[in-house]
Amino acid sequence: MAKPIIEEAIMDIFSKYTTTIPMKSIIGFADLGCSSGPNTLLVVSYLMDTIFNKCRGSDVCASPEFLVFLNDLPSNDFNTIFKTLQGFCDEQKETKGDGFGPCFISGVPGTFYGRLFPRETLHFVHSSYSLHWLSQVPQGIDQSNKKNIYLAKSSPPFVLEAYLRQFQRDFWVFLRSRSKEIVGGGGRMVLTLIGRRSEDPCSKECCYFWELLAVALGDMVKQGLIEEEKLNSFNLPHYMPSPSEIKSVIQSEGSFIVNRLETFEVNWDGEDAEDTAIDKFRSSYNATNCIRAVSESLLVSHFGEEIIDELFRRYMQIVADRVSREESKYINIVISMTKE
């Protein structure tokens, strides 16, 4: 669903920089929060395909050289990525022929809530499913959000305010950092994150899957498998903003024009099927694995590794019960921006 928006931004860059630099040029691209696995190079490949296909047969320009930066936290498995790069570049060259590239790909460990690249080196920045993670749990909430691990209807108002302020600070720093790194006069950025359509930060559309995880943790507290204090002191560094909250920070920072801001729904289990005859066991298994993949390291560091398998076994049972009776979808937000 985000693909047409990414393509639109890439083609806009192509049109600007091939008219001003008709000879062989360089396109700088960064993927922030690239992770490690089979999806890591998908957007890189799509970027190269889109530009190369446009250049092929063109009398105006040759295919540019691609300067690609893959960014994630230092704990990311960059070694696995690096082992695939030579094969990836060779495949690109073989598929596209002598007119392609070359491409130069580097790993850049570090938080994107701060500077990562030299000034005005990037033409296009992409980030998918990363910016709903905060730089830290909001300070000052301590054990005030009892029995919850994220925002919920029972969360005190000041906890809601603390989460919003943390998101605003982090997103402002992200935008200001990118404003220095992206070329002026038309550099582009496309961001995809989990958010909400409602202005209620505790609405079911953005909090429900975390609420169910809190239920599973609460059941383990009742059975003496987890200390109650451990649950009460655990809060996720996570915030799912509304479109208006996103726009407000972009306007406040002032370096970017919003070209498009779209919302769309994605099933919890990541599948496209709209079949009413849901296989609740397969669906709950997939949905549980998604949540486990993004939260396990945080849970292990707080609760210990020994409770993880049992926690997600219980979580899968809870999800299986709910998905057969209720709509279970994430709200995704895609923002396309141009640097002024």
Side-chain angles (χ1 to χ4, degrees), residues 167-307:
F167 168 75
Q168 291 170 331
R169 283 195 294 268
D170 284 346
F171 193 41
W172 193 95
V173 169
F174 175 89
L175 294 172
R176 180 51 55 94
S177 299
R178 305 295 81 78
S179 74
K180 293 179 170 61
E181 298 162 351
I182 295 175
V183 297
R188 296 292 295 264
M189 182 158 58
V190 176
L191 313 173
T192 302
L193 65 159
I194 301 176
R196 65 183 197 273
R197 291 180 175 135
S198 169
E199 291 304 318
D200 178 7
C202 301
S203 64
K204 192 173 183 179
E205 66 182 5
C206 65
C207 298
Y208 195 41
F209 54 96
W210 292 130
E211 287 181 16
L212 298 185
L213 187 59
V215 169
L217 286 164
D219 288 344
M220 294 180 74
V221 168
K222 291 175 184 176
Q223 295 180 13
L225 301 175
I226 294 175
E227 296 177 13
E228 185 174 10
E229 186 276 333
K230 281 279 190 181
L231 175 56
N232 289 339
S233 61
F234 181 71
N235 292 283
L236 288 163
H238 191 271
Y239 188 75
M240 289 171 276
S242 68
S244 65
E245 290 170 348
I246 291 170
K247 287 179 180 178
S248 176
V249 179
I250 294 171
Q251 291 169 357
S252 171
E253 193 280 327
S255 299
F256 294 90
I257 298 171
V258 176
N259 304 107
R260 292 179 67 175
L261 193 154
E262 308 282 347
T263 63
F264 56 87
E265 296 178 340
V266 174
N267 293 328
W268 275 16
D269 60 9
E271 297 194 8
D272 295 330
E274 294 294 339
D275 189 353
T276 54
I278 296 173
D279 182 341
K280 69 175 184 179
F281 298 106
R282 185 183 70 182
S283 182
S284 62
Y285 175 81
N286 291 342
T288 298
N289 281 344
C290 288
I291 294 298
R292 183 167 182 166
V294 300
S295 65
E296 182 169 1
S297 61
L298 292 168
L299 292 163
V300 167
S301 66
H302 188 83
F303 295 101
E305 192 168 359
E306 62 277 2
I307 64 106

Side-chain angles (χ1 to χ4, degrees), residues 67-80:
L67 181 60
V68 179
F69 300 105
L70 301 175
N71 158 259
D72 213 311
L73 295 173
S75 56
N76 189 52
D77 186 6
F78 283 101
N79 283 336
T80 294

